[in-house]
């Protein structure tokens, strides 16, 4: 079949635009070649409206030839999108040239040139126009002001005239046809709104009136007018910032599911109505069931729900977006591949339908000849007469179309309807009375729970909910009752869930999340009933509930964490959105998400206490390192590209035994010969502490304690490596105390300059391997142990697993003595291995009697587990019944006697 037989448009126009086609090389012309053809025809004297139409029709001929010769779908879409951008630029130049001689150029109130942006929406925004598409445009200008001509106009009126002059250039049908049908109904307030809006007006509209479906529309927005000046680029960045805050939310946005359901119901209803009125238009490959729109909706929904937290998946074009969703584990690779294949099939079919008559239609033709032509163009039948007789209506094509649409529809329905059904109840509750009835039916109408529900019902936060939010809350409560009824701790579970929902429900998207995701709600119940501390933590950092979308899985990976945050940083910087506030929030969001993942693994029993400490310590290291890097770049006084600065971790972080909510004991060192180094690094350290401790909208990171620096609070906040070395080794009158050397046994460089970290480790090793008087060392360490005990009195009658005799602190002081007393002969004791490993090493080296070190290590492990358990239960101090843990306490007592001697221990306790 010849092209002229396949396409009536091709048959009418072939040979009419050879002068345009001859100016292009073979294949689909690039944007510059389209621009050049328009310029050449216009300079030759042809009116611009005729020029634009002739170039457009010439391109259509070339696209038909290229497409049916096997050009990729993406090349076809980019070709027609390039034409749209080219004619937009030409049309704007003509409109301004017509208006400015009389009215002058538009200016802002400060006298700068006002900027006019044409925003392409939908397929133009994604550079994936179809060949006979209209173009959805929104017109925006940056600032109010007026023109500087003889007849001044307000910028709003001037740009309104630009739009009225511009649109007919593209959309009017003349003897040469049209260029593009222009649809401007996606502007604020649609047909009833002004043709052009200022950036401030757009931002206010989004804030006050913006509807959920408009977020889908603006997701695919893109400036398509020229950005050839710095002012235009700044205006585009300002628009991007406004659109970003409207489209993307900083949480998992499951409220969009219901919005998309409503939009999809409306589209299907309209399609059904059209089909009833025009049966010949019923088979719509775009808007019908399983059509192009459902693939686009599938991609956009996954993007909108998660794109606020994952900027990496923000992409306006459908096929690249599918790849990003797979890369970030949001879509199965096999499903994405089939969706991409289906999309290409449907879009190629859509183009061929439009090639027939250059009509803006998406419906399969009803004429046998046209259907056969489509089947031929798609490669399903050849031009043989016997083939036509065997398949008179392109039945192979229709069978493949049915297969594709059935797959797309099943994927879309699975995504759209995953979760809204109420399992175990006939109808979601519509009032709190219905919830109470459900509570009684489940046998859970205990006085405390009923009273808690009543308090919720009468609370200001419940009253402040929208009608939709209230229904979502009721649905969630209904589901929780069903889940709690199967648990032994039903009352604890219900009470904590109600407390949490009341605390975080003012942001209704969380209610939408749990209403749409019953599996996440079940995981929430597991977390809350297991840990009071976790319940309080979620109240303080509600954004972490997003992590419940998937079950707890792989261990924390510091490299992946760092890479993810660096990618976020790069994207914010690229969009001009990066500043200290964004950086601090980004760190907090990433940190708390990872800490909650560790907490979830912990509560699920997937990791042990030591592994929890490893993960939390590695997370703190990575977070401090990133804060250090970003904070330095924000320091006005910085005098070098990278700081000669290191963070030294002591205590729990130094020993990699960090727990939930643990303080960070840190010291700052620098090694820089610059004259003002002390001042620069002091300012830097203060700024870094602020980055790590400040409370922002995303929460806080750590409590920081810097008192272990030389001379404590009386000393300088930052110390040079040389001064630190002299202080620790006792060179001069200002020297470290023994307790400071004890602290060095659990110290390491956790962030910053690796060379300084290596120098610190050399100093630490030299200090720890210094020979000491054993008796004097015992006396000093026991005195310090008693001082610590005196600072933590325990009148409760319970056993404090950390501070009481036989507890964790006894083990830690014993290990510190062993290191300081014996590292001169056994330098391997200086390794940063943790107390448990060092106890085993000490026994193996003969520094402890056989049968003392390893039982003490086991006891320490169990005491840590108990402390961890009590912490998760919400206890301020880990205290248990006095008659428990007898074996562990005995093992610790045996260790202290072996290290310090029974008489010396008794004497220290009496002192």
């Amino acid at each position: 079949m010849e092209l002229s037989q396949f396409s009536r448009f091709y048959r009418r126009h072939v040979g009419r635009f050879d002068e345009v086609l001859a100016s292009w090389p073979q294949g689909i012309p690039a944007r510059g070649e389209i621009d050049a053809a328009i310029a050449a025809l216009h300079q030759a004297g042809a009116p611009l409206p005729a020029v634009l139409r002739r170039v457009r029709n010439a391109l259509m001929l070339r696209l038909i030839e290229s497409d049916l010769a096997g050009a990729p779908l993406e090349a076809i879409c980019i070709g027609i999108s390039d034409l749209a951008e080219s004619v937009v630029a030409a049309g704007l130049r003509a409109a301004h040239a017509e208006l400015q001689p009389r009215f002058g150029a538009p200016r802002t109130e400060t006298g700068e040139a006002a900027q006019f942006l044409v925003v392409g929406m939908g397929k133009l925004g994604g550079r994936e126009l179809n060949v006979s598409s209209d173009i959805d445009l929104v017109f925006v200008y940056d600032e109010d002001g007026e023109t500087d001509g003889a007849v001044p106009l307000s910028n709003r009126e001037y740009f309104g005239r630009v739009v009225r002059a511009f649109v007919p250039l593209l959309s009017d049908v003349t003897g040469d046809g049209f260029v593009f049908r222009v649809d401007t109904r996606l502007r604020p307030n649609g047909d009833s709104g002004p043709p052009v809006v200022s950036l401030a007006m757009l931002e206010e509209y989004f804030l006050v009136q913006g509807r959920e479906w408009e977020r889908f529309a603006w997701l695919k927005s893109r400036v398509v007018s020229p950005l050839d000046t710095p002012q235009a680029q700044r205006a585009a960045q300002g628009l991007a910032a406004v659109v970003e805050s409207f489209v993307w939310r900083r949480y998992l946005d499951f409220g969009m599911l219901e919005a998309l359901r409503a939009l999809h119901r409306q589209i299907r209803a309209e399609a059904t109505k059209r089909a009833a009125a025009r049966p010949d238009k019923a088979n719509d490959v775009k808007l019908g069931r399983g059509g192009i729109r459902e693939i686009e909706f599938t991609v956009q929904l996954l993007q909108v729900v998660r794109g606020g937290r994952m900027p990496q998946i923000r992409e306006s074009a459908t096929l690249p977006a599918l790849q990003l969703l797979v890369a970030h584990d949001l879509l199965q690779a096999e499903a994405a591949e089939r969706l991409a294949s289906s999309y290409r099939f449907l879009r190629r079919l859509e183009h061929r339908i439009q090639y027939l008559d250059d009509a803006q239609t998406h419906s399969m033709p009803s004429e046998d000849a046209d259907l056969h032509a489509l089947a031929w163009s798609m490669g399903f039948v050849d031009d043989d007469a016997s083939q036509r007789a065997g398949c008179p209506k392109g039945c192979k094509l229709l069978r493949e179309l049915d297969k594709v649409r059935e797959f797309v529809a099943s994927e879309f329905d699975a995504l759209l309807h995953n979760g809204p059904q109420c399992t175990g109840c006939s109808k979601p509750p519509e009032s709190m009375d219905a919830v109470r009835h459900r509570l009684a039916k489940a046998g859970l109408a205990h006085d405390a729970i009923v009273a808690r529900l009543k308090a919720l019902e009468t609370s200001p936060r419940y009253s402040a909910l929208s009608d939709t939010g209230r229904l979502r809350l009721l649905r969630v409560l209904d589901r929780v009752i069903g889940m709690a009824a199967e648990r032994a701790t039903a009352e604890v579970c219900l009470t904590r869930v109600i407390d949490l929902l009341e605390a975080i429900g003012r942001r209704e998207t969380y209610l939408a999340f749990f209403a749409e995701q019953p599996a996440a709600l079940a995981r929430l119940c597991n977390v809350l009933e297991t840990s009071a501390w976790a319940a309080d933590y979620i109240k303080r950092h509600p954004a972490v509930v997003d992590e419940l979308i998937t079950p707890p899985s792989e261990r924390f990976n510091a490299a992946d964490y760092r890479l993810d945050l660096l990618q976020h940083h790069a994207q914010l910087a690229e969009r001009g959105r990066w500043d200290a506030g964004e950086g601090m929030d980004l760190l907090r969001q990433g940190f708390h998400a990872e800490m909650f993942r560790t907490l979830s693994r912990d509560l699920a029993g997937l990791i042990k206490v030591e592994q929890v400490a490893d993960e939390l310590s590695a997370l703190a290291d990575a977070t401090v390192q990133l804060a250090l890097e970003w904070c330095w770049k924000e320091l006005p006084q910085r005098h070098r590209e990278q700081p000669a600065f290191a963070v030294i971790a002591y205590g729990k972080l130094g020993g990699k035994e960090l727990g939930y909510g643990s303080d960070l004991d840190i010291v700052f060192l620098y090694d820089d010969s610059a004259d003002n180094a002390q001042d620069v690094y002091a300012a830097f350290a203060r700024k870094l502490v602020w980055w790590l401790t400040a409370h922002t909208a995303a929460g806080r990171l750590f409590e920081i304690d810097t008192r272990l620096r030389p001379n404590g609070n009386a000393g300088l906040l930052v110390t040079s490596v040389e001064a630190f070395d002299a202080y620790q080794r006792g060179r001069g009158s200002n020297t470290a105390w023994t307790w400071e050397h004890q602290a060095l046994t659990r110290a390491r460089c956790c962030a910053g300059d690796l060379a300084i970290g290596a120098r610190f480790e050399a100093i630490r090793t030299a200090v720890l391997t210094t020979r000491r008087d054993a008796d004097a060392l015992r006396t000093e360490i026991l005195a310090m142990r008693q001082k610590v005990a005196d600072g933590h009195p325990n009148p409760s009658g319970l056993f404090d697993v950390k501070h009481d005799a036989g507890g964790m602190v006894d083990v830690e002081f014993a290990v510190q003595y062993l290191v300081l007393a014996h590292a001169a002969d056994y330098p391997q004791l200086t390794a940063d291995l943790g107390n448990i490993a060092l106890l085993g090493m000490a026994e193996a080296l003969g520094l402890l009697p056989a049968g003392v070190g390893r039982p003490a290590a086991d006891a320490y492990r169990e005491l840590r587990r108990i402390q961890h358990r009590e912490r998760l239960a919400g206890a301020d101090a880990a205290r248990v019944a006095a008659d428990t843990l007898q074996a562990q306490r005995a093992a610790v007592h045996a260790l202290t006697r072996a290290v310090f001697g029974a008489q010396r221990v008794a004497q220290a306790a009496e002192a």
Side-chain angles (χ1 to χ4, degrees):
M1 183 181 292
E2 299 291 334
L3 289 179
S4 57
Q5 294 176 285
F6 162 66
S7 166
R8 288 178 285 273
F9 172 85
Y10 191 90
R11 184 165 63 247
R12 288 194 303 270
H13 292 287
V14 67
R16 293 183 58 194
F17 309 110
D18 288 349
E19 78 281 12
V20 178
L21 293 169
S23 69
W24 294 335
Q26 289 297 312
I28 301 170
R31 165 68 190 277
E33 292 162 344
I34 297 173
D35 290 345
I38 292 173
L41 287 178
H42 194 34
Q43 289 168 4
L48 183 62
V51 168
L52 298 181
R53 285 152 180 78
R54 297 186 71 183
V55 171
R56 184 262 181 191
N57 289 334
L59 180 65
M60 279 291 293
L61 295 176
R62 183 62 62 85
L63 291 177
I64 293 172
E65 295 167 353
S66 300
D67 197 351
L68 270 66
L73 169 67
E74 293 89 335
I76 302 298
C77 294
I78 289 173
I80 197 71
S81 299
D82 280 347
L83 173 69
E85 292 185 43
S86 184
V87 300
V88 164
L92 286 181
R93 286 194 298 270
H96 285 301
E98 176 186 337
L99 296 170
Q100 288 192 6
R102 181 182 181 195
F103 302 113
R107 300 285 177 183
T108 67
E109 292 179 354
T110 60
E112 294 185 1
Q115 300 301 311
F116 183 66
L117 303 175
V118 181
V119 184
M121 310 289 283
K123 286 187 167 60
L124 177 56
R127 290 175 60 79
E128 50 190 11
L129 279 178
N130 61 54
V131 293
S132 191
S133 178
D134 60 3
I135 55 175
D136 297 296
L137 301 178
V138 175
F139 302 100
V140 181
Y141 64 96
D142 60 345
E143 293 185 40
D144 287 318
E146 65 178 22
T147 60
D148 59 6
V151 182
L153 297 176
S154 70
N155 285 353
R156 180 177 178 181
E157 185 177 355
Y158 173 82
F159 288 126
R161 292 186 183 223
V162 169
V163 171
R164 287 191 290 274
F166 167 81
V167 170
L169 276 174
L170 274 62
S171 61
D172 280 359
V173 179
T174 72
D176 296 301
F178 65 95
V179 189
F180 287 102
R181 305 168 191 90
V182 177
D183 190 337
T184 64
R185 291 174 295 175
L186 289 176
R187 68 187 186 271
N189 295 306
D191 283 337
S192 62
V196 59
V197 295
S198 69
L199 191 55
M201 290 171 62
L202 181 66
E203 184 172 24
E204 182 178 2
Y205 174 81
F206 284 161
L207 184 64
V208 178
Q209 300 181 58
R211 291 158 290 184
E212 298 293 359
W213 69 263
E214 290 178 289
R215 293 173 57 199
F216 285 105
W218 282 91
L219 182 154
K220 294 176 76 72
S221 65
R222 179 174 61 92
V223 175
V224 296
S225 52
L227 298 176
D228 47 9
T229 67
Q231 296 95 323
Q233 292 162 12
R234 284 197 299 270
Q237 288 177 347
L239 173 65
V242 170
V243 171
E244 179 180 351
S245 63
F246 174 61
V247 173
W248 309 108
R249 302 292 191 258
R250 293 194 176 194
Y251 40 79
L252 294 187
D253 193 5
F254 281 90
M256 289 300 291
L257 274 172
E258 189 54 47
L260 184 57
R261 289 191 192 104
L263 180 59
H264 186 249
R265 283 193 297 267
Q266 180 182 350
I267 290 172
R268 278 196 174 171
E270 291 176 354
T272 302
K273 184 178 178 181
R274 280 196 306 271
R278 293 281 306 274
D280 58 317
K281 301 294 183 183
N283 201 352
D284 193 313
V285 301
K286 177 182 178 181
L287 301 178
R289 182 175 182 273
I292 296 166
R293 181 57 55 83
E294 293 192 355
I295 299 176
E296 293 170 341
F297 275 175
T298 297
V299 173
Q300 290 170 358
L301 179 60
L302 290 171
Q303 288 179 299
V304 168
V305 167
R306 293 177 177 271
R309 295 283 298 277
M310 300 177 68
Q312 307 96 311
I313 65 171
R314 299 178 189 175
E315 165 62 52
S316 58
T318 302
L319 291 172
L322 279 169
Q323 297 174 357
L324 291 174
L325 293 172
V326 172
H328 292 86
D329 299 322
L330 301 180
L331 195 60
Q332 294 282 340
E334 181 180 355
E337 185 176 343
R338 288 193 63 185
L339 283 172
S341 175
S342 300
Y343 182 78
R344 288 191 172 92
F345 173 85
L346 292 169
R347 289 297 309 273
R348 290 175 62 239
L349 180 58
E350 175 190 44
H351 284 170
R352 283 153 177 74
I353 292 171
Q354 294 173 347
Y355 289 149
L356 293 174
D357 291 297
D358 189 22
Q360 188 188 13
T361 180
H362 315 280
S363 298
M364 293 289 287
S366 56
E367 297 293 330
D368 288 355
D370 287 345
L371 192 58
H372 173 75
L374 281 183
W376 169 80
S377 69
M378 292 289 288
F380 284 91
V381 295
D382 60 25
D383 200 29
D384 186 85
S386 63
Q387 289 285 344
R388 286 201 296 271
C391 189
K393 294 187 178 181
C395 53
K396 290 182 181 179
L397 170 62
L398 294 177
R399 282 198 296 269
E400 182 64 19
L401 177 59
D402 287 343
K403 178 181 174 183
V404 166
R405 292 203 291 201
E406 190 58 39
F407 167 73
V408 171
S410 65
E411 286 292 309
F412 181 70
D413 290 341
L415 175 68
L416 203 60
H417 301 292
N418 179 29
Q421 296 83 8
C422 182
T423 304
C425 58
S426 58
K427 182 182 178 182
E430 297 181 355
S431 68
M432 196 65 81
D433 286 339
V435 172
R436 280 188 280 266
H437 175 74
R438 170 85 162 123
L439 194 68
K441 189 175 179 180
L444 297 175
H446 307 153
D447 290 345
I449 298 177
V450 172
R452 186 66 191 85
L453 278 177
K454 186 64 178 178
L456 173 63
E457 184 180 18
T458 57
S459 69
R461 288 182 175 176
Y462 181 79
S463 301
L465 290 174
S466 67
D467 291 342
T468 300
R470 197 171 293 120
L471 289 173
R472 285 170 174 163
L473 174 61
L474 296 174
R475 182 192 296 175
V476 172
L477 288 172
D478 187 54
R479 284 192 176 147
V480 171
I481 291 169
M483 294 172 182
E486 303 171 356
R487 299 168 185 262
T489 57
E491 185 168 342
V492 170
C493 177
L494 268 173
T495 301
R496 289 178 179 170
V497 170
I498 293 170
D499 288 346
L500 177 65
L501 292 176
E502 183 177 15
I504 71 174
R506 63 186 180 277
R507 181 168 285 176
E508 294 186 12
T509 186
Y510 294 130
L511 301 178
F513 173 61
F514 289 121
E516 295 288 351
Q517 298 292 317
L521 184 60
R523 294 183 193 108
L524 176 71
C525 291
N526 292 339
V527 169
L528 295 185
E529 73 171 346
T530 306
S531 171
W533 184 88
D536 289 337
Y537 177 74
I538 296 173
K539 289 178 191 176
R540 296 193 305 273
H541 306 283
V544 300
V545 300
D546 293 352
E547 305 307 320
L548 294 167
I549 190 68
T550 55
S553 56
E554 68 275 1
R555 299 283 303 277
F556 171 69
N557 184 297
D560 290 344
Y561 170 74
R562 176 180 171 83
L563 178 61
D564 183 58
L565 290 180
L566 287 174
Q567 288 175 341
H568 277 70
H569 170 274
Q571 288 159 349
L572 286 168
E574 182 180 351
R575 298 194 299 272
R577 295 289 305 277
W578 177 259
D579 58 26
E582 287 286 354
M584 292 167 69
D585 280 348
L586 180 58
L587 278 177
R588 282 151 179 77
Q589 291 158 8
F591 173 83
H592 288 297
E594 286 295 347
M595 190 162 94
F596 187 74
R597 291 179 190 132
T598 295
L599 176 63
S600 298
R601 286 188 287 271
D602 182 9
L603 295 177
L606 300 178
I607 53 177
K608 297 179 180 178
V609 176
E610 291 87 347
Q611 293 170 314
V612 171
D614 288 342
E615 290 197 7
L616 294 179
S617 300
L619 174 59
D621 288 355
T623 303
V624 172
Q625 178 63 40
L626 278 171
L628 186 154
E629 294 172 14
W630 294 347
C631 183
W632 179 255
K633 292 177 182 178
E634 298 291 322
L635 188 72
Q637 306 99 306
R638 73 181 187 276
H639 58 293
R640 53 192 297 164
E641 186 63 27
Q642 300 296 332
F645 180 92
V647 180
I648 308 302
Y650 283 75
K652 293 293 186 184
L653 180 59
K656 297 183 181 179
E657 295 180 350
L658 209 61
Y660 300 115
S662 292
D663 296 353
L664 302 191
D665 295 302
I666 56 179
V667 168
F668 303 120
L669 300 182
Y670 73 91
D671 184 19
D672 193 326
S673 59
D675 292 341
N676 62 342
Q678 176 68 46
D679 293 336
V680 169
Y681 290 114
F684 177 49
R686 287 191 294 270
K687 193 175 185 72
L688 180 58
V689 169
W690 177 63
W691 267 62
L692 294 173
T693 60
H695 195 102
T696 75
R700 68 183 307 164
L701 288 173
F702 308 106
E703 290 282 356
I704 299 293
D705 190 337
T706 62
R707 290 175 296 177
L708 286 173
R709 65 187 187 269
N711 298 306
N713 283 338
L716 298 171
L717 183 59
V718 295
T719 307
S720 70
V721 174
E722 291 80 3
F724 182 82
D725 188 7
Y727 180 80
Q728 293 291 344
R729 297 206 207 192
R731 295 170 181 166
S733 59
N734 186 28
T735 61
W737 297 80
T738 298
W739 65 264
E740 292 177 280
H741 290 169
Q742 289 178 245
L744 271 181
T745 64
R746 294 205 301 174
R748 62 187 177 86
C749 179
C750 71
D753 190 309
L754 295 178
I756 296 177
R759 290 192 62 188
F760 164 78
E761 186 57 33
I763 295 168
R764 173 181 174 272
T765 300
V767 170
L768 297 183
T769 55
T770 300
R771 292 196 178 276
R772 292 172 172 82
D773 182 289
D775 286 339
L777 181 63
R778 284 193 188 92
T779 299
E780 290 190 64
I781 289 182
L782 286 172
M784 179 56 66
R785 172 66 186 99
Q786 190 57 46
K787 185 176 181 180
V788 171
D790 293 343
H792 295 84
N794 177 18
S796 67
L798 302 173
F799 172 62
D800 188 314
V801 301
K802 181 175 182 180
H803 291 289
D804 280 355
M808 295 169 62
V809 174
D810 275 356
V811 176
E812 292 163 0
F813 271 68
V815 170
Q816 290 164 13
Y817 172 82
L818 289 170
V819 172
L820 292 174
H822 299 291
D825 295 318
Y826 303 102
Q828 58 266 49
L829 289 170
T830 64
D832 184 22
L833 300 176
N835 291 311
I836 292 173
L838 288 172
L839 284 168
M841 182 185 293
E843 181 172 324
L845 292 171
L847 304 177
L848 291 172
V852 170
R854 288 185 176 84
D858 293 339
Y860 186 72
R861 181 181 289 111
E862 178 63 11
L863 293 172
R864 281 185 64 190
R865 190 188 69 79
I866 298 297
Q867 183 193 44
H868 186 68
R869 182 194 69 190
E870 295 300 306
R871 173 72 169 166
L872 289 176
D876 292 330
R879 291 173 178 172
V880 298
D883 58 351
T884 58
L885 299 174
Q886 293 298 321
Q888 288 78 17
R889 294 161 71 180
V892 174
H893 286 311
L895 173 67
T896 57
R897 287 194 299 270
V899 171
F900 298 111
Q903 184 176 1
R904 297 292 294 274
V905 172
Q907 289 172 348
E910 293 171 359

